[in-house]
Amino acid sequence: MSPRAGARALAACALAGVLFAGLTLPPVLAGGLLLGRAAASVDVTSGSLAGGRVREASVITDAVGTPIARLYERYRLPVGSDAIADTMKAAIVAIEDRRFFVHDGVDWRGLGRALASNAVRGSPLEGQGASTITMQYVKNYRLYAVADTAADRRAATADTLSRKLTEVRLAHRVEERLGKDEILARYLDLVYFGNGAYGVEAAARTYFATTAATLTVPQAALLAGIVRSPEGYDPTEQPAAARARRGEVLRAMADVGSISPAQAAAADAAPLGIVSPLRRRAPGCGAAVEGTGFFCRYVEEELAAAGIPPSELRTGGYTVRTTLDPDAQARADAAAGRIGDSSGVANVVAVVAPGSSGPRPVLALAANREYGPDAAAGQSSLPLATAPLRGAGSVYKIFTAATALEQALVSPDDDLDVPKRYTSSISPGHTVENLGSYDDRLTLTRALATSPNTAFVELEDRIGSLGPVVETARALGLRRTLDAPAPGGGTVGEAVVAQDQASFTLGPNPTSPLELANVGATLVADGRWCPPTPILSVTDREGRPVDLPTPECDQAVPTDVAADLRTALSEDHTDGTSADAAEEVGWDRPMIGKTGTTQVSASSAFLGATTAYAGAVMTFSDRGAPEPVCTDPVRVCSDGTLTGGSVPAETWYRTMLPLHRDVPEGDLVPDRDD
């Protein structure tokens, strides 16, 4: 050894002494400023290390508890010691830290060798056994649970004596507070295994489509080998290196007596056994279970409004149990998807459970699209089922009728004038015509079933102002719809009133399908509005319930008005605009319903409800500006033929018929004495 190398070796021995002193003496006596900085970091981190809090994925489930999506910053599924196979524990100890169960968190011999090698040859401080599993846990915890910035992450991985001193002190603290099995489990739940898998449970699922509890000897050995270099031993990109590394782990396991030489040889001969393709889980709602992406996004939006932003949801380890009914979702998916996904036309379904005593469960949100960014593949990242995107057409005649009923201007059996043309007095110059032939006078019930335009614009004039009609629409359920920003400033509702938009009753304004469905639920619930919700419960990572703010229910319209309106809406499926669609599927139970179509058939809608389910379907062109839509086949075209009684009504009945097979009919329309 040269004199210079000898001097470096002596310096390394001195540094090892400083490290040991740093564990036993006050910082000011045990290494001056360097140890003082390490101690300060220890004081900040040691408490959270003992608690073991890490960034953890949140899971969203359906109403019966089946996961539909995992939201995460890193794909990690902590499971704890009892859910990690002994084979995995043995493999990682054999290859990473054979003296794990006998040292106090620091392997002084290995650390001394690393310091000497660093001093003599400039080798990294990680080699020569310098990092025990406890120290690796500390390092990974600082990297994945504490570091918030790029500078923090560099500090957590820097090959410096200062960082090593901090890890030594923290490892000693961890060993004082936690048992060996707990430290080992926390390490395995935290460490990176490559290909986006953090922690052994995520790794087991990613590479083998299994769980950490059932890992075999060759599987555990492969995963244990990856830890040292996730890229260098990636079994998908470097299979030969991964196999060789697995062999090293198996021999190490045999050396320490975890398995026999024969078991090691048999495992070494086994194929790598990884699944192809790997079971990578993309984060967010784009990777939700098929058909549930739009519902997942709705859940995210509602949680953000309630005070749990996406950033917290992706790291907080929440369990969100939703109201999603798997049967209702499947029926809605099947019905919505009948028109295909490549036509440039969206077909959207929202289903709500009526009720008057609290938030209404949203049972399904479906579309003929998958949620995602690839429009060419038929995906959409728009909130198709919840946001106001296109008009609902003559479904809005419900709000004019409800206002007139509340003002005692009409009853369900009263006649309305039905001129062929009519010019509004509220909005002078606004003239409407009927599409098709009608009798000169129709009852309110027949007018809602057959939908002449002029009768309802004239009814607006009898009401005298658009303000009450807009307010009724808001009260019955179109709250976010009418509060959406208007192009000229203010809200949509304010613009309708300020500009005397007599066309409001014809429904040209963008409308939320979900809110439209909730209008039906409000009418069924005797006029009592309750907020729709996708959330049954939220628990934090410790299983404690999280309280979310919930709007109160309120009486939107008097009960007698709601009853009269149900009467007036009771004939659409028997002798109205959706009768053909109802007959096609054999629908024969009481319900309320209303169709709607906007100009040039760019969008159409159907709202229907029974005592058990309320739902709305909207069909519209969703590629850029509104365009006419044709049917048979459904497509964007130059001269639209789409109506609310065609695709929307057909989709509604196909969704609802199987859901009602075992449901009692219930009384929607009260007996009348007149």
Side-chain angles (χ1 to χ4, degrees):
M1 178 183 295
S2 69
R4 179 174 295 180
R8 287 178 177 172
L10 288 173
C13 293
L15 285 173
V18 169
L19 281 168
F20 182 77
L23 291 172
T24 57
L25 297 174
V28 70
L29 299 177
L33 179 61
L34 187 59
L35 276 174
R37 289 174 179 169
S41 179
V42 167
D43 292 338
V44 171
T45 310
S46 60
S48 62
L49 257 171
R53 188 179 181 89
V54 297
R55 292 178 173 90
E56 185 176 334
S58 292
V59 61
I60 297 178
T61 79
D62 62 21
V64 297
T66 303
I68 62 171
R70 296 186 186 275
L71 310 178
Y72 56 87
E73 181 182 83
R74 299 184 180 97
Y75 182 33
R76 177 182 289 113
L77 306 169
V79 292
S81 179
D82 291 344
I84 301 175
D86 289 341
T87 54
M88 188 67 226
K89 296 175 184 177
I92 202 72
V93 168
I95 195 63
E96 289 293 325
D97 186 3
R98 294 187 182 190
R99 288 169 39 80
F100 173 70
F101 288 103
V102 298
H103 62 59
D104 62 355
V106 181
D107 185 343
W108 295 105
R109 287 181 294 181
L111 187 57
R113 287 194 301 270
L115 285 167
S117 179
N118 178 266
V120 174
R121 294 187 294 273
S123 302
L125 286 169
E126 297 300 328
Q128 309 295 323
S131 285
T132 64
I133 282 176
T134 310
M135 292 171 68
Q136 289 183 50
Y137 169 58
V138 168
K139 173 185 173 182
N140 281 279
Y141 189 87
R142 294 180 69 205
L143 177 61
Y144 298 133
V146 177
D148 289 321
T149 66
D152 291 339
R153 289 186 284 275
R154 286 193 297 271
T157 57
D159 189 33
T160 63
L161 181 59
S162 176
R163 194 260 293 177
K164 188 59 66 177
L165 283 168
T166 299
E167 288 178 5
V168 166
R169 293 176 64 85
L170 283 169
H172 199 61
R173 295 273 186 94
V174 168
E175 293 272 348
E176 289 174 343
R177 300 183 185 189
L178 301 175
K180 289 288 188 178
D181 193 56
E182 178 69 13
I183 295 169
L184 183 58
R186 289 191 183 190
Y187 168 74
L188 287 170
D189 273 338
L190 186 62
V191 70
Y192 184 50
F193 287 90
N195 284 292
Y198 292 81
V200 66
E201 180 71 14
R205 297 188 187 199
T206 298
Y207 289 108
F208 304 114
T210 188
T211 66
T214 57
L215 287 168
T216 64
V217 169
Q219 289 173 340
L222 180 66
L223 294 184
I226 289 173
V227 167
R228 179 62 59 84
S229 176
E231 291 76 26
Y233 299 126
D234 182 347
T236 62
E237 298 295 331
Q238 306 289 342
R243 178 181 285 277
R245 177 64 173 168
R246 185 185 68 172
E248 291 180 34
V249 177
L250 291 169
R251 289 188 293 275
M253 293 175 74
D255 286 346
V256 301
S258 299
I259 57 175
S260 68
Q263 288 175 307
D268 196 24
L272 291 180
I274 61 172
V275 295
S276 181
L278 297 183
R279 300 293 176 87
R280 292 186 178 96
R281 294 297 301 269
C285 294
V289 169
E290 184 177 1
T292 66
F294 294 104
F295 197 99
C296 174
R297 171 168 175 163
Y298 175 42
V299 170
E300 280 192 307
E301 292 170 349
E302 291 297 293
L303 288 173
I308 305 177
S311 58
E312 183 177 347
L313 197 60
R314 281 158 173 71
T315 60
Y318 293 96
T319 298
V320 183
R321 187 179 176 197
T322 74
T323 58
L324 183 71
D325 181 316
D327 188 32
Q329 184 68 39
R331 304 296 184 183
D333 277 335
R338 286 174 61 87
I339 73 167
D341 63 2
S342 60
S343 60
V345 179
N347 195 28
V348 182
V349 185
V351 182
V352 176
S356 58
S357 60
R360 289 183 180 132
V362 178
L363 305 180
L365 297 176
N368 63 325
R369 308 235 181 281
E370 279 298 311
Y371 180 73
D374 190 353
Q379 296 181 340
S380 176
S381 57
L382 296 171
L384 295 177
T386 55
L389 299 176
R390 295 288 190 267
S394 292
V395 174
Y396 273 45
K397 291 170 183 174
I398 289 175
F399 309 125
T400 306
T403 307
L405 287 167
E406 188 167 1
Q407 294 185 2
L409 298 176
V410 294
S411 72
D413 296 329
D414 286 346
D415 284 340
L416 303 179
D417 289 331
V418 187
K420 293 180 181 179
R421 291 171 56 90
Y422 184 80
T423 299
S424 169
S425 61
I426 291 178
S427 180
H430 181 76
T431 300
V432 294
E433 296 183 1
N434 292 326
L435 303 176
S437 299
Y438 295 90
D439 293 339
D440 291 339
R441 292 179 66 80
L442 294 172
T443 66
L444 177 63
T445 299
R446 291 296 301 140
L448 284 168
T450 57
S451 207
N453 292 334
T454 59
F456 290 91
V457 175
E458 191 272 341
L459 194 55
E460 283 181 329
D461 284 350
R462 290 173 62 187
I463 293 167
S465 167
L466 288 170
V469 182
V470 170
E471 195 49 48
T472 297
R474 182 192 309 280
L476 286 172
L478 298 191
R479 307 199 172 196
R480 295 183 181 178
T481 292
L482 292 171
D483 288 339
T491 67
V492 169
E494 291 169 344
V496 169
V497 176
Q499 299 170 20
D500 294 323
Q501 295 178 12
S503 61
F504 182 73
T505 195
L506 306 181
N509 299 102
T511 304
S512 159
L514 174 60
E515 287 198 322
L516 206 60
N518 199 36
V519 169
T522 298
L523 295 177
V524 170
D526 286 329
R528 187 165 178 78
W529 175 86
C530 292
T533 181
I535 299 168
L536 282 176
S537 65
V538 179
T539 54
D540 64 17
R541 68 176 71 208
E542 282 81 32
R544 297 173 302 206
V546 177
D547 292 329
L548 302 178
T550 304
E552 297 290 334
C553 299
D554 58 59
Q555 195 67 37
V557 296
T559 57
D560 60 333
V561 171
D564 281 346
L565 194 52
R566 290 197 301 273
T567 298
L569 292 167
S570 64
E571 293 185 3
D572 196 87
H573 66 294
T574 58
D575 194 23
T577 50
S578 73
D580 289 345
E583 183 179 10
E584 183 180 352
V585 301
W587 182 272
D588 61 357
R589 66 169 58 226
M591 62 170 288
I592 60 173
K594 184 71 189 81
T595 62
T597 305
T598 61
Q599 283 189 326
V600 303
S601 295
S603 60
S604 63
F606 182 69
L607 166 62
T610 69
T611 54
Y613 297 93
V617 180
M618 292 186 66
T619 308
F620 51 90
S621 64
D622 68 336
R623 299 290 190 255
E627 296 182 81
V629 175
C630 287
T631 58
D632 196 26
V634 177
R635 66 198 187 282
V636 172
C637 59
S638 58
D639 188 11
T641 59
L642 178 72
T643 66
S646 60
V647 176
E650 292 163 4
T651 301
W652 191 95
Y653 288 116
R654 291 183 183 279
T655 297
M656 294 296 183
L657 185 68
L659 294 179
H660 282 82
R661 283 193 178 126
D662 298 319
V663 176
E665 285 190 354
D667 294 325
L668 271 175
V669 180
D671 292 331
R672 299 176 62 85
D673 296 330
D674 51 353

